[in-house]
């Protein structure tokens, strides 16, 4: 490396450490660009005039939408596929996700050739440093809460950028862009990445055990959430769901929290409720997503919006127009005789939340749940919890475990999980048998659940049953 190269890298690193951010880079290259969080960042940099390209393992709907934005994406891990402009370390920032294996040749090329190589969470932290940051943490509810909060701020015309961990139904995107003074972000506990943030307002929705492959045990996870609570700026505010072992502004449903939903009722399939705040009661909010867990997410988004300073009439109007996030209790078919709902639930508590929602909306109808377990470690760690939550449905169909980044673990299979389910109406099938299995059932409500590639089956099921209905 010559003297000029060393000077450029030194200046670049000084810009980062001084808090001047990422402005030095005219090009941004993503390794793992098809991930939901990575693709939101890619869209953000395009909107800010940067040249963007990247690698991902497989083509997907997300990579197609990025290519439609003229982002170059390739699917072979090979340095020769990287465009020449991205091979200049003085002008190119490299962003990667922790899911990328350590022997990835492109990642190692950038690391050994003087490039600034940063984790997605670090880049997000750098972006938020220049803004008023509202961060949403918790093992469940992050994506829905973040998207409600981003939508409310945009509807109140706040100059906000919201990075979402799912595709918003309102914007058909994982990025809400209305300005750059405020950022709304998911504070992800996976590999402790949320500790790079320093939010002005933050909330913690839940601290159930998860990611035990990273944390080892639940107490270590709780400790990390405590560490996150200390990342809030000195004059900032922390909100916590009532009952969590942390100090902060509390929120809940029909309890004595600082912010709570009161007088909750269901009218035409929507929640109508009042919001009690420290400054009084505000009446007749409407929210269209089913499930108490979603109502809880709406309350914390409203609480953070009120503390930010937004007016109640606009918030009520914004909440009523919120449509949800794809694969979060998403109605695919909704008729009087047949309902098909798809949900990302991949943890026992999330499955319990879906069960509560569907029983509240359809108390007398028969429900078939199709579940694809996600990760061998998660299936092993929560097998009894999965069995208990799945047993509550009238019928259960299991698919094989979706491995994602993992290798098989001996003895941990869907058949092993099936044996634990205390429900006589249970079956393990192949994905290719799924539509026929649903046709055989007399259930009026069909649920597909899981974080793997079960989402790819949804369109086929919808097609088959839309014709029938």
């Amino acid at each position: 490396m010559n003297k000029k190269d060393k000077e450029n890298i030194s200046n670049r690193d000084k810009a980062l450490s001084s808090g001047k951010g990422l402005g030095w880079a005219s090009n941004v290259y993503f390794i793992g660009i098809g991930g939901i969080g990575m693709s939101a960042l890619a869209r953000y940099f395009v909107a800010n005039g940067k040249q963007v390209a990247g690698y991902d393992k497989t083509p997907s709907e997300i990579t197609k939408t990025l290519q439609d934005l003229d982002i170059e994406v390739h699917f072979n891990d090979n340095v020769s596929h990287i465009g020449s402009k991205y091979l200049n370390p003085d002008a190119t920032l490299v962003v990667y996700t922790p899911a990328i294996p350590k022997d990835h040749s492109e990642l190692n090329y950038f690391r050994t050739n003087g490039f600034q190589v940063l984790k997605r969470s670090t880049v997000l932290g750098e972006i938020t440093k220049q803004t008023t940051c509202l961060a949403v943490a918790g093992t469940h509810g992050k994506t829905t809460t973040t998207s409600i909060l981003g939508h409310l701020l945009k509807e109140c015309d706040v100059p906000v950028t919201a990075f979402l961990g799912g595709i918003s139904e309102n914007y058909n995107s994982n990025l809400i862009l209305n300005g750059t003074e405020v950022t709304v972000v998911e504070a992800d506990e996976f590999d402790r990445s949320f500790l790079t943030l320093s939010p002005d307002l933050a909330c913690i929705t839940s601290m159930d055990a998860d990611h035990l492959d990273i944390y080892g045990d639940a107490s270590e996870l709780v400790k990390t959430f405590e560490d996150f609570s200390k990342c809030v700026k000195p004059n900032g505010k922390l909100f916590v769901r009532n009952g969590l072992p942390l100090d902060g502004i509390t929120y809940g449903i029909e309890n004595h929290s600082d912010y709570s939903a009161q007088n909750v009722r269901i009218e035409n399939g929507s929640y109508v409720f009042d919001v009690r705040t420290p400054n009084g009661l505000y009446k007749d909010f409407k929210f269209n997503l089913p499930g108490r867990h979603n109502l809880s997410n709406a309350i914390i988004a409203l609480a953070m919006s009120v503390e930010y300073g937004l007016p109640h009439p606009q918030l009520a109007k914004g909440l009523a127009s919120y449509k949800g996030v794809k694969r979060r209790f998403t109605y695919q078919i909704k008729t009087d005789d047949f309902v098909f709902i798809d949900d990302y639930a991949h943890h026992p508590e999330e499955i319990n939340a879906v069960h509560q929602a569907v029983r509240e909306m359809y108390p007398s109808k028969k429900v078939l749940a199709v579940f694809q377990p996600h990760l061998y470690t998660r299936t092993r760690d929560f097998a009894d919890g999965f069995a208990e939550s799945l047993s509550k449905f009238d019928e259960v169909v299991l698919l094989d475990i979706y491995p994602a980044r993992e290798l098989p673990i001996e003895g941990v299979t869907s058949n092993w999980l099936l044996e634990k389910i205390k429900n006589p109406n249970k079956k393990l099938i192949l994905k290719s048998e799924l539509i026929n299995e649903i046709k055989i059932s007399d259930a009026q409500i069909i649920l597909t659940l899981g974080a793997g590639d079960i989402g790819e089956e949804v369109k086929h099921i919808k097609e088959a049953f839309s014709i029938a209905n």
Side-chain angles (χ1 to χ4, degrees), residues 170-438:
N170 287 83
Y171 306 97
N172 197 31
S173 177
N174 50 357
L175 184 73
I176 301 173
L177 202 53
N178 194 49
T180 56
E181 288 175 30
V182 178
T183 45
V184 174
V185 298
E186 288 190 30
D188 192 359
E189 75 281 359
F190 177 72
D191 84 339
R192 301 176 173 83
S193 63
F194 60 1
L195 300 181
T196 60
L197 300 171
S198 49
D200 297 86
L201 300 178
C203 74
I204 297 175
T205 63
S206 49
M207 301 192 311
D208 294 310
D210 199 4
H211 304 303
L212 298 186
D213 53 325
I214 303 287
Y215 286 98
D217 64 57
S219 63
E220 190 59 30
L221 180 70
V222 171
K223 182 182 174 299
T224 306
F225 274 106
E226 289 169 355
D227 291 342
F228 170 72
S229 71
K230 292 167 191 164
C231 294
V232 177
K233 286 176 186 162
N235 297 325
K237 292 174 181 175
L238 177 71
F239 300 76
V240 294
R241 186 169 55 78
N242 200 326
L244 293 180
L246 287 170
D247 292 329
I249 299 167
T250 57
Y251 72 95
I253 299 173
E254 294 181 317
N255 58 20
H256 296 293
S257 301
D258 298 312
Y259 285 85
S260 65
Q262 299 291 336
N263 309 319
V264 179
R265 57 256 187 223
I266 294 174
E267 295 179 8
N268 301 321
S270 298
Y271 285 117
V272 178
F273 59 97
D274 304 332
V275 180
R276 190 172 67 202
T277 78
N279 298 318
L281 189 71
Y282 299 89
K283 295 201 161 184
D284 296 332
F285 281 74
K286 184 183 176 189
F287 184 58
N288 296 313
L289 262 61
R292 291 271 168 146
H293 62 300
N294 282 322
L295 182 55
S296 177
N297 295 334
I299 291 298
I300 180 51
L302 286 169
M304 293 175 81
S305 300
V306 169
E307 292 285 343
Y308 178 77
L310 301 180
H312 296 92
Q314 276 179 267
L315 289 175
K317 190 180 171 190
L319 190 68
S321 67
Y322 175 75
K323 294 179 186 173
V325 177
K326 284 184 170 46
R327 300 217 64 226
R328 304 303 196 279
F329 211 94
T330 302
Y331 283 100
Q332 299 291 337
I333 300 173
K334 191 178 187 182
T335 68
D336 291 341
D337 318 317
F338 186 84
V339 174
F340 169 33
I341 297 163
D342 177 46
D343 196 279
Y344 188 69
H346 57 285
H347 183 283
E349 288 304 318
E350 293 167 353
I351 295 171
N352 284 335
V354 171
H355 178 264
Q356 180 275 323
V358 83
R359 293 297 189 203
E360 187 176 43
M361 291 294 158
Y362 304 101
S364 58
K365 296 201 172 178
K366 188 172 181 180
V367 183
L368 163 64
V370 179
F371 178 55
Q372 181 190 48
H374 183 258
L375 301 178
Y376 295 103
T377 52
R378 186 180 280 125
T379 307
R380 176 197 65 198
D381 294 339
F382 301 110
D384 292 338
F386 280 125
E388 191 180 328
S389 60
L390 290 166
S391 296
K392 295 174 182 176
F393 297 100
D394 300 302
E395 288 183 51
V396 183
V397 167
L398 282 190
L399 302 177
D400 284 329
I401 296 169
Y402 183 77
R405 56 187 177 268
E406 294 185 340
L407 295 171
I409 298 171
E410 193 176 344
V412 179
T413 64
S414 285
N415 200 51
W416 171 69
L417 176 58
L418 188 76
E419 287 172 11
K420 290 176 173 285
I421 294 171
K422 293 180 173 61
N423 182 331
N425 303 313
K426 61 182 181 179
K427 196 178 276 191
L428 173 62
I429 65 165
L430 298 171
K431 269 192 296 186
S432 58
E433 302 169 319
L434 187 48
I435 288 172
N436 281 337
E437 197 60 42
I438 297 170

